[in-house]
Amino acid sequence: MQDYLSQLNESQKLPTVHKNGPIMVIAGAGSGKTRVLTYRIAYLIEMGVDPFSILALTFTNKAAREMKSRISQIVGLSDSKSIWMGTFHSVFARILRLEADYLGYTSNFTIYDTQDSDRLIASIIKELQLDKDLYKFKAIRNRISSLKNNLITVNSYLSNSELVQYDKESRRPQFGKIYQTYVERCYKSSAMDFDDLLLKTNELFNKFPEILNKYQNRFKYIHVDEYQDTNHSQYLIVKALADKNENICVVGDDAQSIYSFRGANIENILNFKKDYHDASVYRLEQNYRSTKNIVNAANSVINKNLNKLEKKVWTENESGEKIEVNQLINDSEEGRFVASSIFENKNNSQLDNDSFAVLYRTNAQSRSIEDALRRKNIPYQVYGGLSFYQRKEIKDILAYLRIIVNPSDEESVKRIINYPLRGIGQSTLDKLLLFSNENKITIFEAIKSINSINININSGTLNKLNDFYTLIKTFQLFNETNNAFDVVKEVLKRLNIINILKSDGSQESVGRVENIEELVNGIKDFVDGQNEVIDSSGSLSEFLEDVALASDLDKKNKDFQSKVSLMTIHLAKGLEFRNVYIVGLEEDLFPSALSLTNRADLEEERRLFYVAITRAQKSVTITHAITRYRWGKLNECEPSRFINEIDKKYLKEKVFKNESPLIQKNDNSKTLRLKKPEIKNNFKPIKNNFIINNDFIDINEGDHIIHNRFGKGTVVLTEGKGGDKKAEVKFETSGIKKILLKFAKYKVIDWD
């Protein structure tokens, strides 16, 4: 019966066989917490506990499915199916459907997703004739979501003068009316949004004690996974259900609490002993995932946090490689270094692409990594979002740039003719398309002749089309005498896109601004890099040709081949990879500039770094840049305080040279922040992989080289001598380029 218990170590076994009373399992990274939770539920069933009386709450459907599958292998399919197991939202939706009539809903109520909510809020804003620039529907939805998760109903909101005043000061005095109308419309439609599933469950248990008592008697044993990620609403529901029997088992790791931005409250796990005075606390401290060096390095960082539960994670695994810290001259070099390192490690150790993951703080950072991997023909997958050049805001800007170069590009015209909003609707576009098809001309040509053709368009729309045509022609004239970087700056300035996005105020719009900023940085990097290519001016058409390669790659990589994983650290939680690269370890980026005003936020950033390190099984490589582009302007960067917080005995003293005097400036001019430890740059310099000065390596026809930007290539022609020597190189992914050797960054390679 209990042979599965033999698979557990002593620390894992103790909470597994603890039957009655509240228990908290503090589980370090890679310590087998899911196994403990799974085996504990199986053990309870084998001890005679009715599976119908067991409740298990998870944060993902994937985790619930995996646990149920493991349990069924031990106790059988029938018993495993009787367990109430699933995400918070799915379990509470089930309860609400059973008890819907108590709250005035039908049992078949609709659950609105985010898009449904957005559409409803947008229509309410329109009906109330409110300024949609002030009342952005996504910002309104986020505000409503936050209120609901803090159990603030419409009535509670309207009676709270501070909340009402806040929205007045935010120039949204009608927010309360929108909130009230939204709730009424949902109720009228017998619909609940995701936040309602928590809010209404709390309401159900508070208003109807007999219902709460019913489920308290039903769920005699309650289990909560990732307890550190619960928000206030989830916490109250779980506490209410457990109050009668107090047979509650929570599993989590305070060191991995990284979701405060979506309402998670670390105090829930920190205060568990206050809620349940007789609670037994078990610690899973043995890590089965990572090497000794990785575990110890992670411990040395997280120990800097003051607000934490005491534990000492350890492992019996091999010592492994020390953590490598690499300093690069800029973010583009950072991308090229990561790509080169993956390429070399993959070939030297005969590893698949999926052995590697690149983790970053913000989605925008994927751009330089993607570009570098693409140039080395290394397949990759961006998780948690589209590949950089496929993101909506990027495609919108690229559409403008394409029209400037090629006004016949109809798909690009259709994409941005009404972006940003300028009052040219779909019906107008349909008329233009019909006319252009009938007369075998492009849409742009039709717009050019709009004053002389008859397609039944009112005078207001006519003026807007004329303005659009003039705008594009202005951009085209500007493009004739300026490079790609100057053009994109002019486009963004004239369209006012950044301010439009910033006015939204949502987290999504912040990400979009970051992505556009990174596009600008990429164009600046491209223009600077073209200096080494003969007969190149860094023009817009050259950039669009370059970026087309990225788009083509995105289309080709839809097969099931092994790929390098690119993702934010938040998304990486719960995952593991053989080799992990953590990029952008700089002050104001990681930790984020927004986290430097108070200790709680800074400690969450440190927990995020801890999560990043502990994703690795065999090796961790950290990179940071001396300079990084911000809106095309090169800014100096300081190494992240987190690098200095890793005990030096777990670090490989390795760094690229090009140390800049810029980082030696004192901090007097900087904004006030929490005290940062002094960064002692005691890393030993090593030679750069690529030539970056005038002492170039000579090459001749037939030689094979690898170039920083263009990848592998074969020299087909050379001319000149010494510092003026030129070479024509046929690159695998970039075609034929003519380079001036004294500026080019390359090395000669053997090519089988």
Side-chain angles (χ1 to χ4, degrees):
M1 173 179 79
Q2 299 176 35
D3 60 329
Y4 58 90
L5 295 179
S6 63
Q7 301 174 29
L8 304 175
N9 63 37
E10 198 57 34
S11 296
Q12 294 171 328
K13 193 179 295 183
L14 289 171
T16 302
V17 300
H18 184 132
K19 186 177 178 183
N20 294 316
I23 67 170
M24 177 169 62
V25 183
I26 307 301
S31 63
K33 67 176 179 66
T34 305
R35 173 176 287 193
V36 167
L37 204 55
T38 302
Y39 286 1
R40 173 178 161 81
I41 293 171
Y43 180 81
L44 287 173
I45 294 171
E46 291 198 336
M47 289 295 102
V49 174
D50 185 350
F52 281 98
S53 68
I54 298 174
L55 172 66
L57 298 168
T58 66
F59 273 85
T60 65
N61 287 311
K62 180 174 177 285
R65 284 194 301 269
E66 287 177 357
M67 285 173 62
K68 191 165 277 192
S69 174
R70 291 189 198 178
I71 292 167
S72 68
Q73 292 171 13
I74 301 171
V75 302
L77 189 60
S78 178
D79 280 344
S80 70
K81 282 186 173 180
S82 301
I83 304 166
W84 276 51
M85 180 180 292
T87 63
F88 282 87
H89 289 91
S90 66
V91 169
F92 299 156
R94 187 175 174 184
I95 292 174
L96 287 169
R97 289 200 187 281
L98 292 170
E99 315 297 343
D101 55 325
Y102 282 88
L103 297 172
Y105 286 81
T106 58
S107 61
N108 62 342
F109 62 81
T110 303
I111 298 175
Y112 279 175
D113 62 16
T114 301
Q115 287 186 346
D116 295 325
S117 295
D118 282 348
R119 281 195 292 269
L120 176 54
I121 291 168
S123 67
I124 292 169
I125 291 168
K126 188 176 181 180
E127 288 171 23
L128 295 175
Q129 298 182 333
L130 300 173
D131 187 341
K132 59 186 178 184
D133 289 329
L134 291 176
Y135 293 88
K136 302 274 189 183
F137 64 86
K138 287 184 179 178
I140 299 295
R141 185 245 301 155
N142 288 335
R143 175 83 167 133
I144 291 173
S145 176
S146 176
L147 290 170
K148 285 185 176 182
N149 281 319
N150 284 288
L151 306 181
I152 300 171
T153 62
V154 169
N155 291 335
S156 301
Y157 170 84
L158 293 173
S159 59
N160 189 315
S161 58
E162 287 185 15
L163 292 174
V164 173
Q165 185 60 32
Y166 171 83
D167 286 305
K168 284 182 179 177
E169 291 173 0
S170 302
R171 300 173 65 199
R172 295 184 302 203
Q174 294 300 309
F175 169 79
K177 182 66 177 175
I178 299 172
Y179 188 10
Q180 187 175 33
T181 309
Y182 174 74
V183 170
E184 289 171 354
R185 293 286 176 83
C186 287
Y187 184 74
K188 183 183 175 184
S189 303
S190 193
M192 296 188 194
D193 61 25
F194 283 127
D195 301 309
D196 282 330
L197 299 177
L198 302 180
L199 179 68
K200 298 295 181 183
T201 304
N202 267 302
E203 186 181 329
L204 181 71
F205 290 164
N206 283 327
K207 286 186 176 178
F208 305 98
E210 67 275 23
I211 301 297
L212 174 60
N213 186 59
K214 172 184 171 181
Y215 286 98
Q216 285 176 334
N217 292 329
R218 172 71 183 269
F219 301 128
K220 292 183 172 62
Y221 292 87
I222 298 170
H223 301 78
V224 185
D225 193 16
E226 306 285 6
Y227 192 63
Q228 78 280 349
D229 293 334
T230 52
N231 62 27
H232 184 58
S233 188
Q234 291 163 332
Y235 162 78
L236 289 176
I237 295 171
V238 170
K239 192 168 186 311
L241 287 171
D243 267 352
K244 188 168 188 175
N245 298 296
E246 292 199 344
N247 291 325
I248 180 171
C249 170
V250 303
V251 181
D253 182 7
D254 61 299
Q256 297 186 64
S257 177
I258 57 174
Y259 292 116
S260 66
F261 66 92
R262 66 185 192 196
N265 186 359
I266 192 174
E267 297 300 322
N268 294 346
I269 192 168
L270 296 177
N271 294 332
F272 187 80
K273 284 281 289 182
K274 292 180 182 177
D275 292 333
Y276 305 95
H277 300 290
D278 299 329
S280 300
V281 178
Y282 299 96
R283 290 176 170 81
L284 305 184
E285 297 175 320
Q286 184 175 358
N287 179 296
Y288 291 93
R289 175 187 299 153
S290 310
T291 63
K292 281 189 175 72
N293 266 304
I294 292 172
V295 170
N296 292 336
N299 286 342
S300 69
V301 170
I302 203 63
N303 285 339
K304 302 293 191 297
N305 274 5
L306 300 180
N307 200 21
K308 65 181 187 293
L309 298 169
E310 290 303 320
K311 65 177 178 298
K312 177 69 175 176
V313 181
W314 59 277
T315 184
E316 289 182 345
N317 293 342
E318 63 182 349
S319 294
E321 302 173 20
K322 292 186 176 183
I323 290 177
E324 184 179 311
V325 179
N326 287 280
Q327 175 180 283
L328 290 310
I329 189 69
N330 55 39
D331 48 334
S332 299
E333 292 289 343
E334 179 181 57
R336 290 189 273 271
F337 165 76
V338 170
S340 297
S341 177
I342 291 173
F343 184 83
E344 290 173 16
N345 287 334
K346 189 175 75 161
N347 291 327
N348 292 342
S349 303
Q350 299 299 300
L351 299 172
D352 293 328
N353 290 313
D354 54 17
S355 298
F356 301 89
V358 184
L359 309 182
Y360 34 76
R361 182 64 181 83
T362 65
N363 274 308
Q365 291 170 259
S366 77
R367 195 272 312 166
S368 61
I369 309 297
E370 287 187 64
D371 286 353
L373 290 171
R374 171 168 56 87
R375 290 186 173 113
K376 283 198 173 294
N377 278 331
I378 299 173
Y380 64 86
Q381 176 71 51
V382 179
Y383 291 88
L386 294 167
S387 175
F388 184 81
Y389 292 107
Q390 294 301 310
R391 294 168 191 167
K392 179 188 179 301
E393 58 275 14
I394 301 302
K395 290 180 77 89
D396 289 339
I397 305 300
L398 289 177
Y400 270 103
L401 301 183
R402 288 191 179 108
I403 289 174
I404 293 169
V405 173
N406 175 25
S408 299
D409 184 345
E410 291 203 348
E411 288 306 309
S412 292
V413 173
K414 287 191 289 186
R415 185 176 187 94
I416 53 85
I417 193 168
N418 198 38
Y419 178 79
L421 295 175
R422 52 173 63 90
I424 304 173
Q426 187 60 46
S427 62
T428 302
L429 182 57
D430 291 341
K431 291 173 184 176
L432 286 168
L433 280 167
L434 183 63
F435 181 85
S436 63
N437 290 334
E438 287 177 348
N439 292 274
K440 296 182 179 179
I441 60 175
T442 67
I443 298 177
F444 197 74
E445 287 172 328
I447 296 171
K448 179 183 178 181
S449 311
I450 196 67
N451 294 315
S452 58
I453 61 179
N454 184 20
I455 57 171
N456 193 25
I457 293 176
N458 63 52
S459 59
T461 305
L462 201 67
N463 291 333
K464 290 165 185 174
L465 287 168
N466 282 321
D467 290 345
F468 176 71
Y469 177 79
T470 304
L471 179 71
I472 301 302
K473 293 302 292 185
T474 304
F475 288 151
Q476 288 175 329
L477 285 169
F478 188 85
N479 182 51
E480 289 176 5
T481 54
N482 290 275
N483 62 33
F485 175 62
D486 292 329
V487 173
V488 76
K489 282 200 304 181
E490 181 68 12
V491 168
L492 290 172
K493 179 183 170 184
R494 291 288 298 270
L495 297 176
N496 199 33
I497 287 174
I498 302 304
N499 287 332
I500 292 171
L501 287 171
K502 283 182 176 177
S503 68
D504 188 318
S506 67
Q507 195 63 39
E508 186 180 356
S509 65
V510 172
R512 288 184 171 177
V513 171
E514 288 175 345
N515 288 334
I516 294 172
E517 177 186 353
E518 190 55 35
L519 175 66
V520 174
N521 298 340
I523 296 175
K524 176 64 174 173
D525 177 55
F526 172 82
V527 170
D528 290 347
Q530 290 300 96
N531 291 334
E532 66 187 73
V533 180
I534 298 166
D535 300 326
S536 172
S537 59
S539 68
L540 184 57
S541 57
E542 289 174 354
F543 170 74
L544 291 173
E545 182 184 338
D546 186 72
V547 92
L549 296 170
S551 301
D552 289 343
L553 187 83
D554 289 331
K555 293 172 188 173
K556 290 176 187 174
N557 278 352
K558 290 182 178 179
D559 55 6
F560 295 100
Q561 69 187 117
S562 170
K563 299 173 185 177
V564 175
S565 298
L566 275 61
M567 66 187 77
T568 63
I569 303 165
H570 282 101
L571 204 65
K573 186 167 175 285
L575 304 177
E576 58 183 47
F577 304 91
R578 190 185 190 281
N579 304 84
V580 170
Y581 294 80
I582 311 171
V583 301
L585 261 292
E586 298 136 32
E587 289 291 303
D588 297 341
L589 180 56
F590 194 15
S592 162
L594 299 174
S595 71
L596 300 174
T597 55
N598 65 75
R599 181 173 295 281
D601 289 345
L602 181 60
E603 290 201 347
E604 175 150 332
E605 289 287 296
R606 189 174 286 112
R607 292 194 294 271
L608 191 60
F609 185 49
Y610 174 84
V611 168
I613 296 173
T614 55
R615 297 312 92 199
Q617 297 168 325
K618 298 294 184 182
S619 76
V620 174
T621 303
I622 292 170
T623 63
H624 67 95
I626 295 174
T627 56
R628 191 174 291 272
Y629 280 112
R630 295 294 308 271
W631 296 109
K633 182 183 177 183
L634 205 59
N635 290 314
E636 61 193 82
C637 304
E638 298 178 58
S640 169
R641 66 190 70 196
F642 297 152
I643 296 174
N644 195 61
E645 289 176 358
I646 302 172
D647 193 312
K648 295 296 181 286
K649 63 187 172 188
Y650 307 123
L651 291 178
K652 205 180 278 186
E653 293 184 341
K654 185 179 183 183
V655 63
F656 277 68
K657 61 182 180 180
N658 302 321
E659 290 155 8
S660 169
L662 294 174
I663 63 171
Q664 304 302 321
K665 288 184 177 181
N666 65 47
D667 258 353
N668 293 339
S669 62
K670 297 192 179 290
T671 56
L672 183 65
R673 63 174 70 176
L674 293 178
K675 187 179 179 183
K676 181 176 72 64
E678 182 186 352
I679 303 286
K680 293 181 180 178
N681 208 346
N682 60 352
F683 298 116
K684 296 174 184 176
I686 64 167
K687 290 183 178 178
N688 201 324
N689 279 350
F690 296 99
I691 306 300
I692 61 169
N693 53 43
N694 293 342
D695 300 323
F696 60 88
I697 298 172
D698 195 16
I699 54 176
N700 298 292
E701 291 176 27
D703 285 346
H704 303 296
I705 68 170
I706 183 166
H707 187 278
N708 269 26
R709 292 182 61 237
F710 305 132
K712 284 183 177 180
T714 302
V715 181
V716 296
L717 186 69
T718 62
E719 58 181 272
K721 293 181 180 179
D724 294 325
K725 189 169 184 177
K726 304 170 185 176
E728 199 169 286
V729 185
K730 185 178 181 180
F731 292 100
E732 282 187 332
T733 58
S734 306
I736 294 177
K737 302 286 183 184
K738 203 170 186 181
I739 60 176
L740 190 61
L741 299 194
K742 69 178 179 182
F743 293 130
K745 302 171 189 169
Y746 65 91
K747 64 180 179 180
V748 180
I749 58 171
D750 293 322
W751 200 345
D752 296 329

